[in-house]
Amino acid sequence: MEQEVQGVQPTANENKKKLTPLQMRVITAVCYVAVWIAMCALKWCVPQGNVAGGWGSIGFDLVFTAVSVIGTFEFLRAIDRSESGINCKISFPQRAITIAFSAMAVPLFTLVEMAMEGGLLAIACAFTVYVMFLAATSVFDHKKSSVKGTIYCVFCMLYCGVLSSILSAINHLDGNSMAAILLVFMVPVLTDTGAFIVGSSLKKFVPMKLAPQLSPNKTVIGAVGGLIGGVIGAIVVYYMMYLLGGVNGTIFFTGYNGVGLTVKSETFPALLSFVLVGLATSIMAQIGDLFESAIKRECGVKDMGKILPGHGGVLDRFDSMLYCSVVVFISFGTII
């Protein structure tokens, strides 16, 4: 009898020590924010030198490389587990080519951009060459591959590799790169927060679903709350940069040259520019989140991975950020 009790007792103690999904989600989020703050501190404090974006920007480049590579593995694994993946054959050479491009995309951009600029042109050329290799493997190894599988690989390179390179391009902007990086981080986070708070509070009064086939829990009123949260995030970033370095003025704190804001547009005031960018970025963040839900539904998986406890995989966490990168990069080349 004592042996039975002794055998049951450790199990009960183990159950008490297990973290709840909410606790795991909070711990992962805290670690995520801590890493982001550390990378921002590195980017701010390390001297810029004579290279675009500064040597301190390399920390973010390492993070974006990890997003590209791990995201590619998650995407290919999800395709493998897809119940609807009939005739979606991807050969080993095609997998190798896809992973190789995603692994070299951000480092290639960084090396070319810091050495002579023109990093995006290098990525465009590399992407074209790798797509040609994918097509060649599909032709010469047709029994183990398919056109559908080849298209999935091309999309994976674009989604994970090219968009991660655009994040790196934001990181290496000649001016305002710190503000741009903060926008890429703050707007998606506050978009999710605003959507959750407003959606959970008002969905009883406005129950209209946003995309019931893809994400039954998302509502139209929640999406509106997400837009409000995104705009708030952009305003927060603006005032952070204003207090740290001013707008078109003197840098008050010691740091690398990108701390202050240099606004080029004479049409839009600086704050209005950030509000507009925050609104557009928030829209793209929500589209990116819904598109990720569409991919998971197509593949029949709940999460793209398990590397981030409580959040799922890298693509589950960075899907919105990858989509936002395009808007932020274009915006900082036009109105800011």
Side-chain angles (χ1 to χ4, degrees):
M1 188 71 176
E2 292 180 357
Q3 292 179 351
E4 292 179 0
V5 173
Q6 291 176 354
V8 173
Q9 190 64 31
T11 304
N13 290 334
E14 288 177 1
N15 290 334
K16 292 180 181 179
K17 294 179 181 179
K18 286 183 178 179
L19 296 174
T20 65
L22 179 59
Q23 289 174 327
M24 290 190 296
R25 188 176 182 86
V26 170
I27 291 172
T28 302
V30 170
C31 295
Y32 172 71
V33 172
V35 170
W36 202 265
I37 292 174
M39 294 299 98
C40 285
L42 179 65
K43 181 178 175 65
W44 182 11
C45 296
V46 175
Q48 182 176 5
N50 296 321
V51 295
W55 291 105
S57 302
I58 293 177
F60 274 119
D61 292 327
L62 294 175
V63 173
F64 299 148
T65 300
V67 171
S68 178
V69 175
I70 299 173
T72 298
F73 277 103
E74 290 178 349
F75 188 92
L76 293 176
R77 185 172 59 230
I79 295 299
D80 289 337
R81 292 184 294 178
S82 173
E83 296 178 358
S84 60
I86 301 174
N87 295 327
C88 180
K89 297 182 292 184
I90 303 175
S91 65
F92 177 78
Q94 288 183 319
R95 294 175 188 274
I97 290 171
T98 304
I99 295 170
F101 174 82
S102 297
M104 56 74 66
V106 174
L108 174 64
F109 171 85
T110 303
L111 290 173
V112 174
E113 188 71 14
M114 294 179 72
M116 64 185 74
E117 297 187 353
L120 288 179
L121 177 60
I123 292 299
C125 293
F127 179 74
T128 303
V129 171
Y130 274 78
V131 169
M132 293 173 67
F133 277 122
L134 275 175
T137 56
S138 177
V139 171
F140 294 106
D141 196 14
H142 192 65
K143 290 184 178 180
K144 297 181 180 179
S145 63
S146 65
V147 174
K148 185 177 180 180
T150 304
I151 293 173
Y152 273 124
C153 287
V154 172
F155 175 78
C156 182
M157 292 194 301
L158 179 64
Y159 186 40
C160 299
V162 174
L163 290 185
S164 294
S165 300
I166 294 179
L167 284 173
S168 187
I170 293 171
N171 186 36
H172 287 275
L173 287 170
D174 289 333
N176 299 327
S177 64
M178 179 65 77
I181 283 290
L182 288 174
L183 271 175
V184 167
F185 169 69
M186 291 288 289
V187 172
V189 170
L190 289 186
T191 295
D192 288 343
T193 304
F196 175 77
I197 293 175
V198 175
S200 59
S201 301
L202 301 179
K203 65 180 180 181
K204 293 182 180 180
F205 305 101
V206 188
M208 185 182 300
K209 301 294 184 181
L210 181 63
Q213 292 82 11
L214 299 179
S215 186
N217 294 326
K218 294 186 184 297
T219 60
V220 173
I221 193 65
V224 174
L227 295 179
I228 296 172
V231 170
I232 291 174
I235 294 174
V236 169
V237 171
Y238 170 79
Y239 279 107
M240 285 176 61
M241 302 306 301
Y242 179 81
L243 293 175
L244 288 174
V247 178
N248 297 329
T250 306
I251 297 174
F252 302 126
F253 287 82
T254 302
Y256 108 102
N257 295 338
V259 174
L261 277 174
T262 303
V263 183
K264 296 175 289 187
S265 175
E266 298 179 358
T267 305
F268 302 102
L271 180 57
L272 178 59
S273 298
F274 270 73
V275 169
L276 293 175
V277 173
L279 183 63
T281 305
S282 180
I283 292 173
M284 289 303 295
Q286 296 188 62
I287 292 175
D289 188 38
L290 287 172
F291 185 72
E292 185 74 15
S293 298
I295 294 175
K296 290 187 285 188
R297 182 167 291 275
E298 179 75 17
C299 295
V301 297
K302 181 180 179 181
D303 294 315
M304 296 298 284
K306 298 180 180 179
I307 194 171
L308 300 175
H311 292 260
V314 164
L315 290 180
D316 295 302
R317 179 67 272 174
F318 285 87
D319 52 356
S320 299
M321 191 177 295
L322 289 170
Y323 264 69
C324 291
S325 64
V326 178
V327 176
V328 173
F329 183 70
I330 294 174
S331 299
F332 274 78
T334 53
I335 66 174
I336 297 179

